[in-house]
Amino acid sequence: MAVTDRVKPRSPRRQSLPPEGTKGVRRLAFSQKVSKWDVKVSPYLYISPFFILFALTGLFPLVYTAWVSLHSWNLIGGQGKFTGLENYAFAVAQPYFWNAVGNTFSIFVLSSLPQVVIALVVAAVLDANLRARTFWRMGVLVPFVVAPVAVGLIFNNLFADQFGLINEMLKAAGLDPVRWHSDSLASHLAIATMVNFRWTGYNALIFLAAMQAIPRDVFEAATIDGAGRLRQFFSVTVPMLRPTVIFVVITSTIGGLQIFDEPRVFDQSGLGGADRQWQTLTMYIWELGWGQRNFGRASAVAWLLFLIIVLIALLNFLITKRIASQGGRK
Amino acid sequence: MKIASKFTVLSAAAACLALSLTGCGSAAPEETGVNGATGSEPVTLTVGTFNEFGYEKLFEEYEELNPNVTIEHKKAATTNEARDNLTTRLAAGSGLSDIEAVEVDWLPELLQYPDRFADLKDSAVEGRWLDWKAEAATTPDGKLLGYGTDSGPEAVCYNAELLKKAGLPTERGEVAKMLGTTWDSYFQAGKAFKAASPDSAWFDSAGAIYQGMSNQLEKVYEEEDGTVIATENQQVKDTYKQVLKASTEDGLSAHLKQWSDDWASGFQTGAFATTLCPGWMLGVIEGNASGVAGWDVANVFPGGGGNWGGSYLTVPTQGAHQAEAKKLAGWLTAPEQQIKAFTAKGTFPSQKEALDSSALLGQTNAFFNGAPTGEIFAERAKAVDVTPFKGTKFFAINDAMQQALTRVDVDKTDDAASSWEKFVTAVKSL
């Protein structure tokens, strides 16, 4: 109702209602006023809780972090003197910062790409006519419900360097054990495995929901045209899922750039390895803030991370726009 | 409107949840503690601890002795969790318990903010603790910020089965003699072991040995005035070199990072023959080595005595019942109570009087081949004669040092020289 009201709020029909005596006119005028107000204000009221919450939990911390980042600021001692952009200059000059940026992107790529691909395949399988469908569908979500710390415990046991299950198996097969905690790439792979374990099922369910929205007659037509299951997947399902794929890619980009839990629990001290092999940006923020108690520097790095995410989001947006318009031209 | 009102309810519920999640500190004292208030006002005291302090029974006892007091125990699972909780709530200015337990290594930082903690100095508790224990919690102008609870006097734990296989003595007195009183003699014994038993290592981790050695230096990383000397301190350099030489060249290390999964498994697979053990480590070893026979404790520590860890009870000034909290903290850290906590969870007392108590001295440990642990650690505690000065950057520099050792000993991604260079860079960036 509200929507149609908003579309034509000053409908002439309503204004040209015949008068029904003074009382009636006044009552009508009042209710008219109310409905006018209703039309104008209500939509904003309805959406305001989000913006109020956002201002409290999103905007305020963001602005306050910027304020903190311009000062020397101790976690316990609090605000120190104003230092301008010194904290930013410090961060950008740190090799640790750039190492963290590299690690973050490496883990992000290693986890996001296979995740989206595997999730698509899993969703396609779940979309098929399976026995006990709900069981399988719930099943893929189980890893997501497991707390990241618990995942960390399990995978630490698998990926322990000397007596870990995976290395024991490699040794049994006559291969060299992998140095999960000292080799950079190996540690990224191990962490990406944890991330994929948790998030693939979740993304698969999103894909599945989108797949079910594809009209079935499209598939029927494809079947009649003689397309096999594989051909249907690549030529019908995937193209029709494009908006969902874009959504999943964007959300996993943001999540991937903020990755913390999995690398944090990959060893006991949680600093990302003795040579910072797997220290991500958020872990670097944590080290600066809670390890060195330097809130100013931690806030500066937090803002740099924010800017990086905005940059990536912009890139994402541009690519998305292109893909979307290409899709439209077809 | 219906939706809006529903939302109001929801957001109110969410706000309540958020408030209860953040804890909001001490419960309202008026609501509890109704049971027979004799004389004084009923109060609820919250006590924040971590790991195992062995206080559960003691709280009940105190509540019986003081009917007007109700104690609420908040136990964090790990020290890191407790430390994060403490620092964030100190920063926020509210939410701390009436009594907060702190670990000895957090003190240098907390001593910078003496006004956030009540001065616990009292003639009634004067001379109660071993000197080094009380000194660590005293500000330069003589304020006592914490009452000492347990301490971590170090001995050497060893796997007698492995020593036997290498043809070395296994009886704890003879082992102590073989290990000797210097680090050189300890490493020398290791070489003899390694020659006879190449499959096992002598000690678990370079980091752990360094921890033991550096805790015997007067100054490690900083001068009293805050100047960082970590990278120039010849003693630190020498210790670093000595540990890494023993670990890599002499092959005495099992190359395990302490607390890692590999390290825990190492106890089961007989990866190393000895490990430095403060009193509280006995429980850790027993847990990791369950089912493995042969672990024992030698009444010796190379290079003189050493202390690793141990905690204090503080009374933050943001609490509403500081006087009562001080009284409770004083009672909990009295010698009789410390003995009870020791019997309950093995936390080794830091009080002079407790060290002579027969209940403590009579304590034996079945897992460690019936070793007289009470007597051994009492002697080890008395052997501690150096407390290293730890400044405000100690925590961060020590982290960097442990990483430097790990790069060489465990990861093998660097040699001693290149890893030291990285350590210097890390210290400069602080």
Side-chain angles (χ1 to χ4, degrees):
Chain A
M1 280 306 282
V3 176
T4 43
D5 280 353
R6 202 180 61 191
V7 172
K8 33 184 175 172
R10 284 181 201 133
S11 108
R13 194 156 51 104
R14 226 199 263 173
Q15 276 173 355
S16 61
L17 275 172
E20 292 172 6
T22 35
K23 236 184 174 178
V25 168
R26 222 169 65 202
R27 221 170 59 205
L28 193 73
F30 179 68
S31 71
Q32 232 172 6
K33 222 181 223 168
V34 169
S35 81
K36 230 179 182 175
W37 268 93
D38 187 28
V39 165
K40 272 190 181 163
V41 180
S42 299
Y44 296 102
L45 272 180
Y46 287 140
I47 54 164
S48 67
F50 168 77
F51 286 95
I52 292 169
L53 266 181
F54 171 74
L56 278 176
T57 60
L59 199 61
F60 172 72
L62 200 66
V63 174
Y64 193 65
T65 307
W67 175 248
V68 172
S69 73
L70 299 175
H71 293 79
S72 77
W73 198 296
N74 182 283
L75 174 62
I76 304 176
Q79 189 172 357
K81 61 178 192 307
F82 182 83
T83 56
L85 292 176
E86 213 174 86
N87 288 326
Y88 290 88
F90 168 85
V92 177
Q94 286 296 307
Y96 295 153
F97 172 76
W98 296 107
N99 172 55
V101 171
N103 287 344
T104 307
F105 275 93
S106 164
I107 294 174
F108 156 63
V109 169
L110 283 174
S111 57
S112 287
L113 283 184
Q115 201 182 109
V116 171
V117 174
I118 299 170
L120 255 177
V121 174
V122 170
V125 172
L126 286 176
D127 196 32
N129 268 325
L130 289 174
R131 254 174 229 277
R133 233 185 298 178
T134 319
F135 170 77
W136 297 114
R137 286 177 187 176
M138 297 302 286
V140 298
L141 205 59
V142 166
F144 182 66
V145 191
V146 183
V149 178
V151 176
L153 281 177
I154 300 164
F155 279 79
N156 271 337
N157 230 311
L158 292 178
F159 288 111
D161 292 71
Q162 294 196 16
F163 310 113
L165 190 66
I166 294 181
N167 276 349
E168 292 282 357
M169 272 158 58
L170 287 176
K171 273 185 239 169
L175 296 164
D176 279 338
V178 180
R179 302 165 71 212
W180 297 113
H181 287 82
S182 45
D183 185 63
S184 231
L185 190 66
S187 69
H188 295 180
L189 269 173
I191 291 163
T193 315
M194 286 191 230
V195 179
N196 290 336
F197 172 76
R198 273 195 81 210
W199 288 91
T200 307
Y202 174 83
N203 286 330
L205 281 196
I206 293 180
F207 282 138
L208 177 64
M211 272 179 199
Q212 306 222 305
I214 300 174
R216 294 286 129 171
D217 35 1
V218 181
F219 289 108
E220 274 166 35
T223 314
I224 291 165
D225 285 348
R229 279 214 154 267
L230 211 61
R231 183 68 205 270
Q232 284 185 15
F233 177 72
F234 283 112
S235 302
V236 180
T237 314
V238 174
M240 293 201 86
L241 282 184
R242 193 180 280 134
T244 316
V245 174
I246 291 164
F247 167 78
V248 168
V249 166
I250 291 177
T251 49
S252 63
T253 307
I254 296 171
L257 293 179
Q258 296 178 333
I259 186 165
F260 180 76
D261 297 355
E262 285 87 356
R264 164 72 183 81
V265 296
F266 194 54
D267 76 347
Q268 270 56 41
S269 45
L271 290 175
D275 210 11
R276 294 163 197 257
Q277 290 96 328
W278 66 93
Q279 184 178 50
T280 62
L281 268 174
T282 41
M283 289 169 77
Y284 186 48
I285 295 172
W286 182 70
E287 189 198 338
L288 288 173
W290 275 264
Q292 302 178 13
R293 309 293 194 226
N294 198 324
F295 250 38
R297 283 177 187 172
S299 303
V301 176
W303 253 85
L304 288 171
L305 172 62
F306 173 69
L307 293 179
I308 291 174
I309 292 179
V310 168
L311 204 77
I312 302 285
L314 273 176
L315 262 174
N316 253 327
F317 178 70
L318 287 177
I319 296 169
T320 316
K321 238 177 118 183
R322 273 192 66 168
I323 295 175
S325 58
Q326 271 173 1
R329 234 177 280 148
K330 259 185 193 169
Chain B
M1 268 335 266
K2 198 120 209 190
I3 298 169
S5 67
K6 215 179 210 170
F7 188 86
T8 329
V9 174
L10 267 179
S11 55
C16 287
L17 186 67
L19 283 176
S20 65
L21 278 177
T22 49
C24 292
S26 46
E30 301 81 40
E31 285 169 24
T32 38
V34 227
N35 42 338
T38 46
S40 46
E41 288 280 297
V43 288
T44 300
L45 296 174
T46 46
V47 182
T49 67
F50 44 84
N51 294 341
E52 299 291 352
F53 274 68
Y55 282 173
E56 281 77 4
K57 286 254 168 59
L58 293 177
F59 288 150
E60 283 170 27
E61 196 181 328
Y62 191 78
E63 283 176 337
E64 260 168 49
L65 292 171
N66 303 273
N68 61 320
V69 176
T70 312
I71 298 171
E72 208 179 290
H73 191 191
K74 293 182 175 174
K75 190 154 99 177
T78 65
T79 48
N80 277 339
E81 200 181 299
R83 183 168 178 248
D84 287 345
N85 174 60
L86 181 78
T87 37
T88 36
R89 289 187 178 181
L90 266 184
S94 70
L96 284 174
S97 298
D98 292 304
I99 294 179
E100 282 284 349
V102 305
E103 233 243 305
V104 58
D105 282 354
W106 314 349
L107 282 173
E109 181 171 52
L110 301 180
L111 288 173
Q112 288 180 97
Y113 310 101
D115 51 325
R116 309 276 176 109
F117 296 95
D119 183 4
L120 301 180
K121 211 172 172 61
D122 200 310
S123 54
V125 297
E126 199 124 329
R128 182 187 268 184
W129 292 277
L130 296 164
D131 293 338
W132 53 267
K133 184 74 182 175
E135 266 163 30
T138 309
T139 61
D141 55 349
K143 253 177 108 178
L144 183 67
L145 299 194
Y147 284 164
T149 59
D150 61 327
S151 66
E154 290 197 87
V156 178
C157 290
Y158 65 95
N159 185 334
E161 297 279 308
L162 292 178
L163 294 191
K164 196 173 155 193
K165 264 188 221 159
L168 296 171
T170 57
E171 193 273 322
R172 62 181 80 87
E174 289 171 38
V175 172
K177 228 175 267 164
M178 173 182 73
L179 296 178
T181 51
T182 65
W183 289 103
D184 274 330
S185 62
Y186 172 74
F187 293 138
Q188 214 55 49
K191 281 184 201 165
F193 171 82
K194 189 73 194 172
S197 180
D199 286 343
S200 291
W202 180 236
F203 55 77
D204 48 347
S205 156
I209 301 293
Y210 175 87
Q211 182 94 25
M213 293 173 83
S214 66
N215 262 337
Q216 294 172 333
L217 304 177
E218 299 253 356
K219 280 175 193 163
V220 194
Y221 305 127
E222 295 156 280
E223 295 275 7
E224 259 97 348
D225 62 3
T227 326
V228 174
I229 53 164
T231 53
E232 288 103 51
N233 189 345
Q234 196 57 43
Q235 283 180 306
V236 170
K237 276 185 195 169
D238 291 344
T239 311
Y240 173 84
K241 273 186 199 148
Q242 201 181 355
V243 171
L244 287 181
K245 182 184 170 289
S247 302
T248 53
E249 268 178 54
D250 302 338
L252 302 185
S253 167
H255 309 299
L256 298 166
K257 190 174 184 328
Q258 240 179 355
W259 314 113
S260 69
D261 289 72
D262 279 335
W263 179 74
S265 316
F267 284 96
Q268 290 288 341
T269 54
F272 46 87
T274 65
T275 183
L276 306 183
C277 52
W280 49 262
M281 187 68 100
L282 297 187
V284 177
I285 295 175
E286 191 178 339
N288 285 332
S290 67
V292 177
W295 277 93
D296 209 326
V297 195
N299 185 0
V300 72
F301 195 68
N307 180 73
W308 180 7
S311 301
Y312 294 82
L313 296 182
T314 65
V315 176
T317 42
Q318 52 179 260
H321 313 289
Q322 288 173 41
E324 289 92 342
K326 185 182 166 188
K327 197 179 145 206
L328 171 59
W331 184 83
L332 282 171
T333 54
E336 311 84 65
Q337 274 66 251
Q338 280 306 289
I339 299 287
K340 287 176 196 164
F342 174 69
T343 326
K345 296 287 178 192
T347 54
F348 195 80
S350 57
Q351 288 77 0
K352 284 178 186 161
E353 214 178 295
L355 293 183
D356 299 326
S357 124
S358 55
L360 178 87
L361 295 175
Q363 190 86 14
T364 57
N365 191 316
F367 181 81
F368 288 85
N369 195 21
T373 45
E375 203 183 303
I376 293 177
F377 284 104
E379 271 184 48
R380 292 291 99 220
K382 284 173 186 161
V384 179
D385 48 6
V386 179
T387 334
F389 169 76
K390 292 177 181 177
T392 52
K393 285 185 175 166
F394 176 84
F395 224 85
I397 301 178
N398 200 45
D399 263 349
M401 173 51 92
Q402 286 292 340
Q403 285 172 3
L405 293 165
T406 304
R407 282 193 290 267
V408 183
D409 180 46
V410 185
D411 289 0
K412 303 186 185 85
T413 49
D414 275 292
D415 58 25
S418 67
S419 192
W420 177 266
E421 288 308 313
K422 288 185 183 172
F423 168 69
V424 173
T425 319
V427 171
K428 272 185 194 147
S429 81
L430 291 175

